[in-house]
Amino acid sequence: MSDSVPRPTDAQLHEFRQRVRAYIVTHAPPFAAREGRRAPENADQEAALRTWFAGLFDAGFVGADWPVEYGGRADHHPLHDRIVSEELLRARAPRPVDQVNLAAHVLLHFGSEEQKAALLPPIRRSEHVWCQLLSEPNAGSDIAGVRCRGVRNNDGSWVLDGQKTWITDGHWADMGLALVRTDPASTRHHGLSAFVMPLSADGVEVRPIRTINEAIEVNEVFLDSVPISADGLIGEEGQGWSIIMAGLDFERFGIGGNVILLELLIDDLVTVARHATLGGKPVLEHEDIRQTVSELAVEVEVAKAFIDDHVERMTVGADEVGDGSIAKLSFAETYHRVSAYGTELSATVCTEAADPSIAEAKQRLRECWLWSRAYTVSGGSSEMMRNILAKRRLMLPSR
């Protein structure tokens, strides 16, 4: 976004929101987004999702924050992104793949002009879905422990070997953003480099992992002497840590920005509570249950208030170090607590089974609960977020 773009008026924001809503009604795929089941389940769904995502780019609703020369909008304002996210969530329409957004921002900030020209257009056409090849069996949220190695050949090309795990969307992704140790003598965050890796490259094997919700969202990826051309290196050799950290800061705020999901969860929880009985009387007449539902609703409002405040400060360049981590932590932990309690309540009380909206609410609460622990890990675990805030925000000593 250009610094010269003024904040849109309330009337302009309302008009933009109406356009987004109209577009969703007209063009969204004929299936609702489900938590923990965001990846396509068959070829028809995949084709529909790619068409949908490409359409969002074409309409200027996604990727509008890119530089104009790469397809962005000169009149883009961060509040537009917030509106698009809110309306997609409220409509339960499929949301753009988070890893694609991260890869795009990494390329825009660190990629060469040749990489941008070659790799950004396929993202906007949704020909390339990206995944993050970061976590490993012995380096989950602590990605400074990466062991996957890259060796440079005499001609400048590379060979990658190792294993990545918990790779979201790896089974249908076309490209991967890989973090690899290129200096064998290095430790921790030193000696790491970032690469563009086609998932179709020789030596790449993807093994899907079925989740507790009987879905395939994450994968193991094995790299066996995978050849990467010299132009596959992003930025400079050894710059991988700073590149990935910059991308994850963007992703963490994106996860926190999904706070509307919390409102939808509370709606489902209240729907179940209002139509349920326990011990022969309405659930909300039980003081302990009413108190818990109220406390969870307050937690949701607190998370939403932080996001609202951060967006306002971000638009004037007044955001602070660690805001993305706070947003991510607040969202993930609240999401787990609300969905866990909603699932427990649904399994305890009697509801009016004849009303399909109640059954749908109970199903959504259960699916969210089964997926909730993934949110407390993906993009950096809650423990890592607290460590980041302690060091960067509170400036506490490491020991």
Side-chain angles (χ1 to χ4, degrees):
M1 183 192 73
S2 171
D3 292 337
S4 62
V5 176
R7 178 191 176 91
T9 65
D10 289 346
Q12 290 171 328
L13 291 174
H14 176 74
E15 187 274 335
F16 181 79
R17 188 180 294 274
Q18 294 304 114
R19 283 196 288 119
V20 173
R21 286 179 178 174
Y23 187 87
I24 292 173
V25 169
T26 304
H27 296 91
F31 48 86
R34 296 170 61 186
E35 288 295 276
R37 307 184 76 95
R38 291 177 58 181
E41 297 181 355
N42 53 57
D44 289 341
Q45 279 194 5
E46 180 175 340
L49 285 177
R50 288 181 183 265
T51 298
W52 166 237
F53 297 151
L56 290 173
F57 275 108
D58 286 342
F61 298 141
V62 174
D65 58 334
W66 294 18
V68 173
E69 61 267 31
Y70 295 111
R73 294 174 56 98
D75 63 348
H76 170 264
H77 191 278
L79 291 176
H80 293 146
D81 296 335
R82 181 71 186 278
I83 288 172
V84 172
S85 178
E86 288 178 349
E87 294 305 320
L88 288 173
L89 290 167
R90 289 194 173 112
R92 302 191 188 279
R95 310 190 296 282
V97 178
D98 297 329
Q99 291 74 23
V100 173
N101 292 332
L102 180 143
H105 280 262
V106 164
L107 290 170
L108 286 167
H109 286 89
F110 300 98
S112 66
E113 292 305 314
E114 293 75 16
Q115 287 171 331
K116 294 175 187 177
L119 297 171
L120 291 176
I123 288 178
R124 299 190 74 90
R125 295 191 298 267
S126 202
E127 294 172 4
H128 284 176
V129 169
W130 286 67
C131 64
Q132 297 168 207
L133 296 165
L134 307 182
S135 297
E136 297 184 5
N138 295 308
S141 291
D142 183 15
I143 59 174
V146 161
R147 296 182 180 180
C148 183
R149 64 188 183 277
V151 177
R152 181 156 52 181
N153 297 318
N154 292 333
D155 63 358
S157 64
W158 296 82
V159 176
L160 308 187
D161 285 278
Q163 178 184 354
K164 299 291 182 177
T165 194
W166 308 121
I167 307 305
T168 304
D169 293 313
H171 60 299
W172 72 294
D174 308 282
M175 307 293 290
L177 178 63
L179 184 65
V180 175
R181 189 165 298 281
T182 51
D183 180 359
S186 65
T187 59
R188 302 300 295 160
H189 58 272
H190 302 287
L192 298 172
S193 300
F195 290 89
V196 172
M197 196 189 78
L199 271 294
S200 60
D202 292 339
V204 177
E205 180 185 359
V206 179
R207 299 181 188 174
I209 300 172
R210 192 167 293 277
T211 68
I212 194 173
N213 200 24
E214 288 299 310
I216 296 175
E217 289 285 309
V218 294
N219 307 262
E220 290 181 292
V221 178
F222 295 86
L223 312 180
D224 183 7
S225 298
V226 178
I228 300 293
S229 60
D231 59 5
L233 177 67
I234 302 176
E236 301 293 330
E237 181 182 352
Q239 195 184 7
W241 177 261
S242 59
I243 289 174
I244 296 300
M245 286 300 101
L248 286 178
D249 280 343
F250 171 82
E251 182 198 30
R252 285 162 185 159
F253 178 71
I255 292 175
N258 289 338
V259 69
I260 298 301
L261 284 172
L262 302 180
E263 294 184 3
L264 296 177
L265 273 176
I266 285 292
D267 289 344
D268 283 337
L269 175 58
V270 171
T271 294
V272 171
R274 282 178 174 170
H275 297 83
T277 58
L278 182 64
K281 66 178 183 179
V283 160
L284 290 179
E285 290 185 10
H286 291 263
E287 184 176 350
D288 59 333
I289 295 177
R290 186 171 64 251
Q291 178 71 17
T292 301
V293 171
S294 299
E295 290 174 351
L296 291 172
V298 169
E299 284 193 47
V300 168
E301 289 304 312
V302 169
K304 185 174 183 297
F306 175 81
I307 298 297
D308 289 342
D309 179 65
H310 176 64
V311 170
E312 292 297 327
R313 289 185 287 108
M314 183 179 66
T315 62
V316 296
D319 49 320
E320 299 181 21
V321 173
D323 278 358
S325 294
I326 295 175
K328 197 272 182 182
L329 182 63
S330 178
F331 166 77
E333 294 295 329
T334 305
Y335 181 100
H336 172 70
R337 284 191 287 270
V338 175
S339 61
Y341 183 76
T343 302
E344 179 184 6
L345 187 68
S346 298
T348 303
V349 301
C350 298
T351 57
E352 301 171 10
D355 189 334
S357 67
I358 302 171
E360 291 169 0
K362 293 170 71 173
Q363 178 182 344
R364 285 193 294 264
L365 287 165
R366 180 179 181 275
E367 289 181 343
C368 289
W369 171 60
L370 291 174
W371 186 242
S372 64
R373 280 309 184 195
Y375 271 130
T376 66
V377 175
S378 63
S381 69
S382 293
E383 291 77 13
M384 291 297 294
M385 294 303 98
R386 293 185 179 99
N387 285 339
I388 289 172
L389 290 171
K391 294 178 181 179
R392 300 185 188 176
R393 186 74 164 243
L394 302 178
M395 305 301 290
L396 298 177
S398 298
R399 296 181 183 274

